[in-house]
């Protein structure tokens, strides 16, 4: 395991941590049966019935897993 040779100052620690930034996810807009839905690209989406019950996960039009 890597162990530092000497203590790192507060300013160095905080400036290093300040470089991490959250990114806004890119959403894809799709229209299905008159409803506009937003989803993340390259991710499986949940298919629901008319009452909102989750049925299964779908990716590229194929069923990939049970919900």
């Amino acid at each position: 395991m890597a162990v530092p040779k000497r203590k790192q100052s507060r300013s160095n620690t905080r400036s290093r941590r300040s470089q991490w930034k959250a990114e806004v996810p890119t959403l894809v807009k799709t229209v299905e049966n008159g409803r506009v839905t937003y989803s993340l690209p390259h991710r499986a989406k949940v298919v629901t019935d008319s009452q909102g019950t989750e049925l299964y996960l779908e990716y590229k039009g194929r069923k990939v897993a049970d919900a």
Side-chain angles (χ1 to χ4, degrees):
M1 187 170 95
V3 178
K5 281 193 171 183
R6 57 179 71 95
K7 183 176 180 179
Q8 193 174 32
S9 69
R10 281 186 187 164
S11 64
N12 283 346
T13 302
R14 289 175 180 162
S15 65
R16 184 188 73 244
R17 288 179 182 162
S18 70
Q19 299 305 312
W20 292 94
K21 295 174 183 69
E23 296 178 358
V24 177
T26 55
L27 296 176
V28 176
K29 179 181 176 181
T30 56
V31 179
E32 296 176 358
N33 301 329
R35 286 177 54 187
V36 177
T37 58
Y38 295 93
S39 61
L40 293 168
H42 302 288
R43 298 246 170 85
K45 67 175 187 172
V46 178
V47 177
T48 59
D49 61 1
S50 60
Q51 284 92 24
T53 308
E54 297 178 354
L55 299 174
Y56 56 90
L57 293 173
E58 182 182 62
Y59 183 72
K60 290 187 177 178
R62 297 183 182 143
K63 180 181 173 182
V64 292
D66 292 324

